[in-house]
Amino acid sequence: MKVQNTLSQKKEVFEPINSPHVGMYVCGPTVYNLPHIGNARPAVFFDVVNRYLQFLGYKVRYVRNITDVGHLTDDGDMGEDKISKRAKLEQLEPMEIVDFYTRKYFEVIDKLNVIRPNITPTATGHIVEQIQLTQKILDAGLAYIADGSVYFDVHKYNKQEKYGELSGRILDDLLEATRELDGQEEKRNPADFALWKKAQPEHLMRWSSPWGEGFPGWHLECTVMSTKYLGETFDIHGGGMDLMFPHHECEIAQAKASTGKAPVKYWLHNNMITIDNAKMSKSTGNFVTIEELFSGNNPILAQAYSPMTVRFFILQAHYRSTLDFTNDGLLASQKGYKRVINALNIIKKLEFPKENFDKNLFDEKIDTQIHQFCDNALRAMQDDFNTAMALGQISNMVKKINTFYLQPETIPQIAETTFARMKGLFIALVEDVLGLQEEKNDNTEGLIVALLEFYKEAKAEKNYAIVDKIRGHFKANKLTIKDLKNGNVEWGYEE
RNA sequence: GGUUUCUUGGCCGAGUGGCUAGGCAGAGCUCUGCAAAAGCUCGUACAACAGUUCGAAUCUGUUAGAAACCUCCA
């Protein structure tokens, strides 16, 4: 398998440090707002990575953090922070916000059929470790204390290591480009970043430390938690491209400063999502939440889109391309998804004929074609998780499956082993790897009412055979038909 | 200004130097009491220019345009 490593900017052969074990860390959400469609992409994509690695037989330990401190009030920026403003307005504890949005996050991400990570650590749960790491970097001489805060000394670090290796930035260029921000006077250098930040009196989340009361810096938690659960060097670190700089760059710096080792072997970054070609972000407020997507309750949306439609839509693009959310695109995915699921249900029931089939039917061309679909689909996944390509091949299989379904007698055009391979792979890819599952329509009520119509008609015609038959079906489903005195017919649960 | 990336048919969206990606929409056909579903067939696609090559959407260069990041964000 090959993966595109942001660090080398090349596709590299994936070789776990400690095969068959794979350690994967993905930056999770900052839980101070409703999860939006931009949160859905990494969640779904890295879920597929997790699933595919397991499909290949690896034992994955998947860690995805919850950032619940460090972003509630800005570092330096004196501008308005809508969240803390709102927290104040609603008189909520920060942890109340955190708890509420964490639950919201899991709620919608679960609906997308994302398997929960093995560990979901929180930043507030690792304050002690973060203090320890800060001390370690101080001891290494790569940080300095300024008025109760601790800053990472990027300049000094850059003399022994290369700061900017992940994002391809050069420190000197960065300095010129960096804007003047408020509250940065304490820093020796604008590129320096906070490891520990002194808490202002109004700051609600605070812990005592050797440097006074404060809270951990933005980048510290990921270094601490990834190291704690996956070791000083682990296999995969994932996240959105926007985290490449400075977040992941700082993580590398923190890790190298404290352990002297590169923390991550393969860096994977998913691209951004746009809405009608405009970038989505929390601050500009043009965002669509995942809940809204499911409910259709947003002016941008023409209708509601089911979780699996959204998942299918995300997987139809390669993860390193930007993905534009449009109604047309989602609608196309809705249909494409249903087509695949219909075929999934069909192939599950479809069997190769036991005997009495015409052995002369065997057609090597078709047989080879099926094998190619299978090979191509697997190759696509092997090549940097090309889910779009894999879905294309699955689509090819769908056609064949539908044909075989309508003309089962033609199944022996392919060998029994070929049939078994396609069946097994199709199900495995769709369900296990891509994580697409059937969404059952909840049309029970409508169907019951329809059946009652027939019941009434049959009764009017005194066709009691049909009447009894319908009653029987209701009973079999633990329902009863109630012929009311006023002539109405209703249904209820069997008591 | 710097860094990274992108520009594919009506829309979305893959792609290897030479062989049909795929989906959606559209047209025609088959099947069908009518439909639907399904299958088959079809449309001019690869930003522009130049170069490398027997051959390039795929490599190189130039130009134009776009995006993300450089500041909290997945």
Side-chain angles (χ1 to χ4, degrees):
Chain A
M1 183 176 65
K2 285 187 175 171
V3 298
Q4 175 80 18
N5 191 348
T6 310
L7 194 58
S8 64
Q9 286 185 39
K10 284 191 198 122
K11 266 186 202 169
E12 297 178 10
V13 175
F14 179 72
E15 283 165 350
I17 297 160
N18 217 338
S19 194
H21 298 278
V22 174
M24 175 160 85
Y25 186 93
V26 174
C27 287
T30 302
V31 282
Y32 66 100
N33 215 330
L34 286 172
H36 55 80
I37 57 179
N39 296 111
R41 170 111 104 153
V44 168
F45 170 64
F46 287 104
D47 180 52
V48 170
V49 172
N50 181 22
R51 286 165 174 272
Y52 185 62
L53 288 171
Q54 292 189 45
F55 172 80
L56 292 178
Y58 292 114
K59 307 245 179 295
V60 185
R61 178 181 280 176
Y62 179 16
V63 181
R64 188 184 61 207
N65 67 301
I66 296 279
T67 299
D68 58 356
V69 66
H71 293 168
L72 284 175
T73 51
D74 310 54
D75 172 43
D77 188 358
M78 302 308 267
E80 282 188 322
D81 183 317
K82 287 172 187 165
I83 304 310
S84 46
K85 202 176 160 190
R86 186 169 140 197
K88 267 186 201 164
L89 264 173
E90 299 186 12
Q91 293 188 311
L92 290 174
E93 275 288 322
M95 282 310 281
E96 242 175 313
I97 294 176
V98 160
D99 200 48
F100 177 77
Y101 290 115
T102 300
R103 265 183 279 148
K104 279 286 179 194
Y105 180 77
F106 277 115
E107 198 181 300
V108 296
I109 296 299
D110 282 351
K111 280 188 187 160
L112 288 167
N113 199 23
V114 169
I115 297 171
R116 290 201 180 186
N118 304 84
I119 303 174
T120 310
T122 60
T124 52
H126 298 76
I127 298 293
V128 173
E129 290 90 336
Q130 293 186 77
I131 290 171
Q132 286 168 346
L133 181 63
T134 304
Q135 188 60 53
K136 215 169 164 187
I137 297 172
L138 272 171
D139 293 345
L142 290 168
Y144 56 89
I145 303 166
D147 188 30
S149 295
V150 182
Y151 292 99
F152 191 93
D153 192 336
V154 173
H155 246 71
K156 199 165 174 194
Y157 170 81
N158 195 47
K159 280 177 190 151
Q160 51 191 77
E161 296 281 352
K162 210 168 73 199
Y163 182 77
E165 56 178 328
L166 183 69
S167 53
R169 277 160 225 263
I170 296 158
L171 187 57
D172 291 341
D173 294 344
L174 274 173
L175 300 183
E176 290 171 25
T178 306
R179 274 197 248 152
E180 279 298 317
L181 291 173
D182 296 328
Q184 294 200 325
E185 308 80 38
E186 321 174 321
K187 290 188 191 174
R188 290 181 192 167
N189 190 305
D192 292 350
F193 56 91
L195 296 173
W196 188 263
K197 194 78 183 143
K198 178 182 176 178
Q200 297 305 314
E202 70 273 17
H203 203 281
L204 294 166
M205 301 184 91
R206 54 205 302 144
W207 291 266
S208 41
S209 77
W211 318 284
E213 291 227 322
F215 56 95
W218 305 340
H219 317 297
L220 208 57
E221 55 170 297
C222 286
T223 301
V224 159
M225 297 188 290
S226 61
T227 308
K228 177 163 180 174
Y229 300 112
L230 299 172
E232 291 182 346
T233 301
F234 56 96
D235 299 297
I236 297 173
H237 189 126
M241 253 171 73
D242 51 346
L243 294 179
M244 229 161 82
F245 187 90
H247 186 59
H248 291 161
E249 203 70 74
C250 295
E251 274 187 61
I252 292 177
Q254 286 166 352
K256 283 193 174 176
S258 61
T259 71
K261 294 179 197 161
V264 176
K265 196 169 177 191
Y266 306 98
W267 285 90
L268 268 53
H269 289 98
N270 64 275
N271 213 319
M272 302 291 103
I273 274 173
T274 56
I275 296 180
D276 291 324
N277 270 318
K279 190 214 171 191
M280 224 200 49
S281 74
K282 287 178 186 174
S283 49
T284 53
N286 75 327
F287 68 91
V288 177
T289 68
I290 302 174
E291 260 182 349
E292 287 166 350
L293 209 54
F294 295 165
S295 69
N297 188 20
N298 184 309
I300 296 171
L301 303 170
Q303 60 165 84
Y305 300 100
S306 76
M308 284 301 111
T309 298
V310 175
R311 187 170 174 114
F312 191 91
F313 181 70
I314 290 171
L315 295 179
Q316 236 183 346
H318 187 90
Y319 76 95
R320 279 186 290 109
S321 306
T322 51
L323 177 61
D324 193 34
F325 261 69
T326 60
N327 282 294
D328 286 350
L330 283 162
L331 208 58
S333 290
Q334 187 181 72
K335 296 192 178 177
Y337 155 71
K338 286 186 175 162
R339 208 171 129 80
V340 169
I341 289 300
N342 281 336
L344 179 70
N345 284 334
I346 288 168
I347 189 89
K348 278 183 180 170
K349 289 180 213 150
L350 218 53
E351 296 289 345
F352 195 85
K354 290 266 181 283
E355 46 201 52
N356 295 331
F357 62 86
D358 187 354
K359 289 201 168 61
N360 294 323
L361 271 176
F362 182 77
D363 186 332
E364 193 167 348
K365 246 176 115 176
I366 297 175
D367 191 81
T368 308
Q369 202 184 24
I370 303 271
H371 275 298
Q372 274 173 358
F373 294 158
C374 294
D375 292 341
N376 289 345
L378 287 173
R379 201 179 310 133
M381 290 305 294
Q382 288 290 106
D383 183 14
D384 197 26
F385 311 101
N386 193 337
T387 53
M389 181 66 167
L391 275 175
Q393 298 303 321
I394 283 170
S395 244
N396 284 331
M397 290 187 221
V398 167
K399 273 186 196 161
K400 279 289 155 204
I401 290 167
N402 283 329
T403 305
F404 286 147
Y405 171 57
L406 290 177
Q407 294 169 287
E409 68 277 6
T410 64
I411 293 178
Q413 284 178 335
I414 61 175
E416 187 165 2
T417 50
T418 310
F419 181 83
R421 186 187 182 205
M422 176 170 73
K423 181 169 178 171
L425 190 64
F426 188 89
I427 295 171
L429 279 180
V430 172
E431 288 191 324
D432 302 338
V433 176
L434 298 178
L436 297 169
Q437 59 181 186
E438 183 176 355
E439 283 174 334
K440 295 211 159 102
N441 291 348
D442 192 17
N443 292 338
T444 332
E445 181 88 28
L447 287 173
I448 289 174
V449 171
L451 257 179
L452 286 180
E453 285 296 316
F454 288 117
Y455 176 84
K456 277 193 262 187
E457 279 175 30
K459 233 181 157 185
E461 292 165 14
K462 297 190 193 299
N463 187 342
Y464 296 112
I466 298 286
V467 168
D468 289 345
K469 215 172 181 179
I470 295 176
R471 273 198 199 136
H473 283 304
F474 269 70
K475 197 170 169 58
N477 287 291
K478 306 242 183 263
L479 302 172
T480 47
I481 295 176
K482 299 172 184 173
D483 288 286
L484 302 181
K485 282 200 172 129
N486 58 13
N488 284 350
V489 178
E490 285 178 7
W491 67 278
Y493 297 103
E494 202 177 51
E495 289 163 15

